[in-house]
Amino acid sequence: MVQKSIHKSEIVAYSSEKMYALVSDIPSYQHFLPYCSSSSVLSTKGNIVHGQMLFSYFGLSYTLETKNIMEPHSRIGLSLLKGDIQTLEGQWLFTDIKPSGCKVSLDLNIEMHDAIFYRLYNRIIDKLADSMVDRFLDRALQVYGLEED
């Protein structure tokens, strides 16, 4: 079994409300996440959102379906429903910092049974997981500009 853990955090000039809005906007992922060719919400029931993302890399396609437990402006818990990896568990945390801004944290744990499969998808997983917070910070700059309103 191959395991990978990602722990990343950044302090940003945007509110937790704004950063939460970006991360919870699953349909927009395809516009800024590396290798993500489509992204959508499959269903929503209360605070539970089922999302799907399709990643493509050098002719390989990889689909993930996740269950996301939404706690507005503070946390998004996520777990794998369907995909080619064994386990994907994690969370996004958004913590306001006074007078303005917030701390954005991402924790992910990924497990795969097959080391050969891991080598095939290693580039996609590493590129996405290791840069995920950075891609959302870039997106915040694109959507909100340099300063918070």
Side-chain angles (χ1 to χ4, degrees):
M1 182 175 300
V2 179
Q3 298 179 344
K4 182 171 183 74
S5 292
I6 305 296
H7 306 285
K8 185 121 185 195
S9 66
E10 293 285 339
I11 295 176
V12 301
Y14 306 99
S15 69
S16 59
E17 181 177 351
K18 286 185 174 186
M19 292 308 296
Y20 174 90
L22 290 178
V23 177
S24 64
D25 184 12
I26 296 168
S28 293
Y29 287 9
Q30 62 190 330
H31 302 298
F32 66 95
L33 286 182
Y35 313 119
C36 185
S37 53
S38 74
S39 54
S40 61
V41 170
L42 299 175
S43 67
T44 302
K45 186 172 183 180
N47 71 328
I48 297 175
V49 174
H50 290 180
Q52 181 179 55
M53 296 173 286
L54 173 65
F55 298 96
S56 300
Y57 182 73
F58 287 115
L60 298 173
S61 290
Y62 180 76
T63 301
L64 280 179
E65 288 184 20
T66 58
K67 173 183 175 182
N68 304 280
I69 300 172
M70 315 302 276
E71 298 174 26
H73 318 304
S74 63
R75 181 180 180 274
I76 299 174
L78 59 104
S79 58
L80 182 70
L81 290 175
K82 190 189 313 184
D84 295 320
I85 58 179
Q86 177 63 27
T87 303
L88 172 65
E89 296 288 333
Q91 67 179 354
W92 284 93
L93 294 175
F94 310 92
T95 308
D96 280 321
I97 296 174
K98 302 295 181 200
S100 66
C102 75
K103 179 179 178 182
V104 178
S105 302
L106 173 64
D107 296 301
L108 289 176
N109 292 305
I110 303 164
E111 291 182 6
M112 290 185 219
H113 284 304
D114 188 341
I116 293 170
F117 180 80
Y118 178 77
R119 283 192 287 274
L120 286 173
Y121 288 98
N122 187 41
R123 176 89 169 131
I124 296 172
I125 291 169
D126 284 348
K127 178 89 171 170
L128 279 170
D130 291 338
S131 68
M132 193 81 103
V133 172
D134 294 333
R135 296 296 67 82
F136 279 97
L137 296 180
D138 292 345
R139 182 70 172 169
L141 182 60
Q142 180 184 28
V143 171
Y144 302 129
L146 288 173
E147 296 182 285
E148 184 174 35
D149 295 337

